[in-house]
């Protein structure tokens, strides 16, 4: 790679500085502050010893997610969703994505009849909040599962493997990894990729509201995502070992 | 391709019988009943001679979509969203997708300060309602634009090209095109692909809630989608010529 | 009757062309498309093997209705009720009327502890949607009851008799039957009448927002309604025999 | 008429004791407590010097109504609609009826571009709350119009004539006037009739949820209503003269 | 005390004319119209023989309150909360205050597993609606408890003592008791005080949106409140003896 | 003061460790993380260059507040208010209190026609969230006003003086300052006091849901609050000087 056209001088295939801070707050069974550059998301994992209604009596558990953004996490203030009386479409879409992603790494039988809720609240936004949330929520989920194991509530480890996510996009013709807000708002194509630590794809969501992307561009983006996620998985592992 | 394991005997790369019926209802500027097998979606296009608030005075128009499902479009009755008092996350996610897809084929300057709303209402569901909706909504949008042209309200054609969508997935290890409900509910991987008639990708949304998919599987799915969408674009063209 | 002042040339006591098409969609236990001229309503009957809460353990069932209109069923687009977050007063009023009308023809003891929900969704509106809905919902209800009988879930026939409905009004001084939209919006008096096949009245709802109507006018309207409903009952019978 | 089977000993064609008390509260331009026996409804008329949006600039005014019931106006407590977050179907249906009834006695051009809102709140319910509300709201409306005339805001009297309402029904085979709650809940047929002081019908709403009613029964009910409303109009006139 | 600067000529430490009328409506177990001058609040107490969910099986009961204001209880019409679809912050704050105040005088074990709901609906407002509501609701609660005792549903008296409330404030530098609307809207400081008949404080809520108040002013206000509440308790006692 | 019965060993008149960290997030004009022991609240101040509707054209500005709690800020997870579709009564009550408190230190004419919104979001709760929020929001407000002054948008300083808040209560008979959650949930009496830096009271809210408090207890609590708020004001000053 040569010199980069990116606003912050990163190489096209370079992640932002990533920080994963465990035990950020004290009440939750898992509590992780994850930072992708200036994007900061607090991910907590809460254990509820009940399965949701549609799973009662089936001997399996559930993992679900909720997503929120503080009103002034962004450059201009957004209305508080609680005050408007409903969650917007973007919020629902993101929290559905986070929930699906984390369920992909859980053995629900091994979890047993309980629910783990992952609350991902954006304290500061600078692009990539959903991918940071998935990456941090995985660590919070591991901490909550460790609590269950320590309590003897589960016998087999319900974690099937790691899950992480990153955004990729094409900015001024160059495929780049982990877009910040300035890049995100000017690029033609934006893709969010969720993968596991075995190199398998869990979600691929690419959007071209401006110009359509070619198959070769798609291939380049997927390759970038694979590289970035491998690095994120290593950072998750280091944080969990710390 | 050899003999197919598909429940309805289709070849893996075969679309269901597709029907696109224009002028299905009489009031809307565009009104299309689109059928992908037993999936039936009524797509209407309504012209409003006002741009939405965030575009007032900017000399451009907007295309937006709403999606709904009749309570008994499905095998068991779903609660009516109007009665529950809100649209669910799945509904919002789908209508945002349809809106983005159709905006990708419109020159908003050429449309001028007006809004075209695409209402996609599922009369009968058998898998693939969102891809049928996008494919039918494009035809309804063309009919509405023809009304604008006939009225002399637009001078340049605001349609940049065709847009169509199809689902693909991996069922029992075989990549298949245009899944019906039985396939959709048993497959591990499901992907919705939106493309234009120039072979460009507009949206790629792949999900593996069960087992993660490999890059080679992804490649096979994208190839199937390209084939299917080329056929759908030809069917749209035939319907519009009819 | 002599030459008619009606916009479509009908005689004052003449119904529009009425069509009752059974099995219009495939999932519901009863599914009927009913057309009164250009008014088209899809009526589905859904069986739920639970009585509503207020009837649990009482050995009787319930019949209820919900009504909706596709946003572009009308000449100008109406906001989608699911998007606005509530059903309007007109919708609630109509669905309460449909429910009462259909309960009037059911022996709730014979139905047993179950609920039949009649969803009446207007695909295209041209006046008289509520009377078309009642007339079609009766046929859908009969089909659902036939399913129950075929399954052996009910032993006695819970249908007490037929129910149908029609609108009548006074337009330019002339009492007319089955008003279309143009008539409905210009007439001074509008009355919806629901009757059973024994000539008994189930609902009479007459409104004079403009000038009040005299007793003699009321008598003429009721006579017209009796004639029209007798014809509708014959059409229902033919459809059910078909 | 001979001896009555009515629970309170009234003759079949006898109204309950009716009381119309003006200036019941001090802030509203019209404020009337109307009692039909133990049914007590507070009707206030509020003037707003703006027409509603759909009438702006058309030189006419509007009359509208809202209806509510205190939670313990009834024998068992009902949930407060403000706490449940929406008005029920019955409430919306009744307030639409009250609004239509009162608009029938108003010359909207003479009223000018303003809105009069009639709030009808049931303090105590014992059957017939909607008919008492209409009867009382007419008097409150007259008082509000008198305020407008005193201020010189209207020059022509916008009141076209009086409006009153009463319920009639068939209880144990006998047509009776002005049903109280015990009668209302046991009768087969219930009809609400709104008339003007010229003997014209404004609304006729008859319902037979139990057994259907014959034409001769309908005729008897309408005759009873005509008698009762003539008496109510006289009581309104006396109250306004008081 | 010498001549008063108060708009209605009262002495600074003088209550308005207070009226407490029991059995104002007939259905509720307790029904009290309380008037503090022109402020009129209807307080009903409704017995429900179920404890709320969070107390099931704990052998104790609950007392809760709801507050509402008729739309035209005030000088200009307020939107109906049921129509807006939610209770405002002021309403929720007041009903929480009333509930806490009344729970302070109840032995919840003696009440047993039941709920008493106090509905406080303002028919006419002229300042001090929440303090009038608390004062009246206490009397309604006593009447409901008397019903429970007469039925033999409770054996020990669950009423621990009387509760009453009054507002105090500083108007033009003078501490005054029981502010009416004109005073309330022009005073700098406003305090609502709830006390029991033993001279104990249950709630003290003082607000200075304009200028802050000194400790000496606070002392003077508390002394005024003590005097006023002693008088209110005597009036409650007289009403209950009546 | 002698040895303390407090769970954390503090003296009865001792604040928890208080931390006020400015510029905690980067987008808001003021952003303060305030900690009272383990209670952590993020307070942001957002400038909007429009006054709210009711002040348009009056030449004054407004300060308002919103309050929220992350779902797992507490020991057991609370439902997300955005997901439930409304803010609870406690939330509305607290945000109204914060807004009034901060408006008490602002010269709204000097602020000009703009709105400053203070968002107070609890990241971790351990008692006293509303008093921490007020104390931190004041610092965020000062930072936002400094932005306005630096931009030349205001010429006179609109800050009239400092505002801070603290809770006091009686635990096991001892008046104590700045209660943590364990104390808060076991004390009989709880009072929140808001004062300015001139020793004036802005809000006094004392509640005794258990046993009523005597005047002497109230006096002791107010003295404690005065001491604590003087210390908080000094900490605010130090933070702003930092």
């Amino acid at each position: 790679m040569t010199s980069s056209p990116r606003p912050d001088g990163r190489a096209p295939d370079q992640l932002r500085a990533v920080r994963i801070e465990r035990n950020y707050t004290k009440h939750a069974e898992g509590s992780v502050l994850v930072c992708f550059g200036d994007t900061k998301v607090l991910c907590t994992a809460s254990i509820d010893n009940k399965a949701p209604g549609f799973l009662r009596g089936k001997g399996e558990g559930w993992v679900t997610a909720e997503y929120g953004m503080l009103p002034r996490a962004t450059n201009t203030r957004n209305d508080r969703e609680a005050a408007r009386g409903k969650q917007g479409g973007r919020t629902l879409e993101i929290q559905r994505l986070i929930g699906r992603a984390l369920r992909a790494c859980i053995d629900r039988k091994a979890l047993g009849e309980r629910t783990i809720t992952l609350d991902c609240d954006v304290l500061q936004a600078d692009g990539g909040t959903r991918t940071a949330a998935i990456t941090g929520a995985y660590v919070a989920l591991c901490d909550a599962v460790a609590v269950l194991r320590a309590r003897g509530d589960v016998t087999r480890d319900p974690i099937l493997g790691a899950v992480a996510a990153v955004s990729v996009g094409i900015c001024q013709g160059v495929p780049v990894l982990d877009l910040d807000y300035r890049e995100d708002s000017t690029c033609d194509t934006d893709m969010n990729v969720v993968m596991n630590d075995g190199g398998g794809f869990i979600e691929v969501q690419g959007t071209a509201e401006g110009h359509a992307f070619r198959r070769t561009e798609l291939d380049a983006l997927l390759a970038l995502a694979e590289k970035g996620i491998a690095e994120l998985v290593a950072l998750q592992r280091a944080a969990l070992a710390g």
Side-chain angles (χ1 to χ4, degrees), chain A:
Chain A
M1 295 276 165
T2 65
S3 79
S4 160
R6 305 185 76 171
D8 61 359
R10 274 187 287 154
D13 66 348
Q14 190 181 349
L15 292 173
R16 288 177 284 181
V18 171
R19 192 154 59 89
I20 298 175
E21 183 178 344
R22 288 163 66 204
N23 303 314
Y24 188 72
T25 55
K26 72 172 186 178
H27 296 298
E29 285 76 22
S31 175
V32 168
L33 183 76
V34 60
C35 306
F36 278 29
D38 277 344
T39 289
K40 301 181 181 189
V41 185
L42 174 52
C43 307
T44 60
S46 298
I47 299 170
D48 182 2
N49 283 316
K50 280 204 306 282
F54 64 92
L55 285 180
R56 291 280 154 75
K58 302 208 171 157
E60 4 178 337
W62 192 243
V63 171
T64 186
E66 294 195 2
Y67 172 92
M69 209 186 248
L70 296 193
R72 196 55 196 283
T74 44
N75 194 40
T76 54
R77 187 177 183 273
N78 291 299
D79 285 347
R80 187 176 290 268
E81 291 188 323
R84 279 192 309 167
K86 64 173 176 180
Q87 296 178 293
R90 180 183 171 279
T91 293
L92 292 172
E93 196 170 310
I94 292 176
Q95 71 189 18
R96 285 160 56 91
L97 169 65
I98 301 172
R100 282 196 310 271
L102 275 297
R103 279 192 295 277
C105 75
I106 273 283
D107 176 341
R108 279 154 46 191
K109 291 274 181 205
L111 181 60
E113 290 213 3
R114 52 181 55 85
T115 303
I116 299 182
T117 301
L118 298 160
D119 285 292
C120 300
D121 284 277
V122 180
L123 305 187
Q124 188 172 282
D126 189 31
T129 63
R130 78 190 73 187
T131 53
I134 290 168
T135 303
Y138 168 71
V139 178
L141 178 61
C142 288
D143 279 338
V145 164
V147 168
L148 288 174
R149 300 191 62 159
R151 287 182 191 159
D153 285 350
V154 298
T155 47
R156 272 186 299 139
D157 188 353
I159 304 279
L160 300 171
V163 165
V166 78
S167 72
V168 285
I170 298 174
C171 297
Q172 299 171 279
V174 181
V176 293
L177 178 69
D178 186 24
L179 288 65
D180 68 15
Y181 178 75
R182 277 170 303 176
E183 293 176 311
D184 200 17
S185 52
T186 56
C187 287
D188 278 334
T189 297
D190 177 27
M191 182 174 288
N192 292 295
V193 180
V194 186
M195 297 180 73
N196 63 23
D197 55 356
F201 290 90
I202 290 169
E203 288 268 345
V204 174
Q205 296 200 341
T207 296
E209 200 158 329
H211 104 116
F213 48 101
R214 317 301 320 174
R215 182 62 194 278
T216 51
E217 293 171 322
L218 181 54
D219 290 344
L221 291 175
L222 291 169
L224 269 185
E226 287 177 303
K227 172 180 182 297
I229 286 174
E231 292 174 25
L232 290 169
V233 167
L235 291 164
Q236 288 174 325
R237 207 168 283 149
L240 285 164

